[in-house]
Amino acid sequence: MVSGAVSKILSLSLGKFPVRLNVGVMLFLTTMINYMLRVNFSILYLAMVNTTADASDYGPRYDWNKSEQGLLLGAYFWGYLISAIPGALLAERYGGKTITTIIHLLSTILTALGPLLAGCGFVPMYMCRLLTGLFAGPQYPALHNLIAKWAPPEEKGKFIAALLGGTFGTVVTWPLMGVVIENLGWKFGFYIPAFLNGVIGIMWYFIVSNDPQSHTWISQPEKEFIEKSLGSAVSKEKPPTPFIKILTSVPYIALICLHFGNLWGMFFLMTATPKFMNETLNFNLGKAGILAALPYLGRLIFGLIFGSVGDVVRKREMLSITAMRKSFTIFSHILPGIFLASLCFVEHPYACVAIITISLAFNGSSCLTNLQNSHDLAPNFAGLLYGIMNAIGTSAGFVSPIVVAYFTEDGNEMSNWCKIFIIGAVFYITPALIFMIFGSGNIQPWNEVQKLEPEKEAEAKTEQIQEGEKNV
């Protein structure tokens, strides 16, 4: 009864807008809070560990050495890796709205328990971060499952760009954590995101549905428009999953490489930038948080621009889908790699910040390359495809902190960071070249639902009837 009343109120207030616009806004908000829970620890741990450089009273301090700090930064990504593929299968079966609602509930509880678990020792804190990542692993596959069912092809660039809410989450979180730590203590760096996550989770539950057909207040014309625009690319039937064909598809393997390169750059900057700006460029925690967020603000702005440009290119058929995906890797991967390598020749702190910002800003065009290509190859399995490549790409999230810890073990001098930047540039550029050769924007044959032959179909129906009679 309560759920129905809330839905009616929302339909009166939001019904004047297209429902898919509401879904797009919720995609932005849920990815925003997803990243808030992902990146808050990159700032928080700096205030949680014992250090001679900063004796401020931000709350309890813990004797976690550099190796343990690296493990804590990577724990989230281990959990994320474990659940990404199973989570994608769950999203395919139960729907993106259902899985995302559960994620909001579990992650809210766990994040709120963060300070308590930190006080219990390194292992409980490690498990907290591991489980936070484990719960979040199905998130993006679930969202891609939703986009495949909600986004008309000519609007898909905007829907994918809405996933850059995660980038906005980083933009907001790092400055917010700096202010929160300095004024309220690091514990509130867990409590505030947990509260916001709960609020957005409630909004998500009432506003979003698994598909247009099950939405409570969508208009018939809008529903018909979405169905017509999607055509036969997305089947209403549940097709069998062609795992072997997926995993041996050359265009998909090229996409996995491209996605890995993108996530290496993303996760490296996500986990290492606050440390680099605080300990190498010598900015205090508050300023480091603000400056570390600037690259993500640039990525968000460029992502929205590139997403709109991509929709125009597609609508006017200025380039084939394959040509568009391949050409935009110049902006999403090659230029970011070049800018990252150029940091080795820069010494001024603010110049370093500017170059990092430009590098990640161009990566915003990934909404037209690796973030969207799974929908080109197989709309019926877009969530699963994204889950698989995200699981593989997420390994960068726990490998890159180890790489950073290894090269900075003897100090945080710029010469040590140059090696890290060169590695990042290689991981950006090489996958782009692979994708330019082997990638594709065409729907693959294994996306289609395989129809049974008439005789076999009749036999299957007879078996279903007989099975039903047995159950009765």
Side-chain angles (χ1 to χ4, degrees), residues 226-243:
I226 295 172
E227 290 178 349
K228 184 178 179 181
S229 66
L230 293 177
S232 60
V234 179
S235 173
K236 294 180 181 179
E237 302 176 38
K238 179 59 184 172
T241 306
F243 281 108

Side-chain angles (χ1 to χ4, degrees), residues 127-203:
M127 292 305 299
C128 176
R129 293 301 297 167
L130 180 76
L131 291 174
T132 303
L134 187 75
F135 296 154
Q139 177 83 78
Y140 276 83
L143 299 183
H144 279 270
N145 177 276
L146 279 172
I147 291 173
K149 296 173 181 177
W150 276 97
E154 63 271 19
E155 297 177 7
K156 193 154 285 185
K158 297 183 183 67
F159 271 82
I160 297 294
L163 300 183
L164 294 177
T167 300
F168 183 70
T170 305
V171 171
V172 171
T173 302
W174 281 348
L176 176 64
M177 290 301 102
V179 172
V180 167
I181 289 169
E182 293 183 345
N183 291 276
L184 299 174
W186 61 259
K187 290 185 178 182
F188 281 87
F190 287 93
Y191 297 145
I192 292 174
F195 172 76
L196 294 175
N197 187 51
V199 171
I200 292 174
I202 293 171
M203 294 170 60

Side-chain angles (χ1 to χ4, degrees), residues 71 74-83 126 130 133-134 394 398 402:
L71 289 172
Y76 178 99
F77 300 99
W78 274 110
Y80 199 92
L81 170 66
I82 293 169
S83 64
Y126 182 87
L130 180 76
L134 187 75
T394 297
F398 54 79
I402 295 173

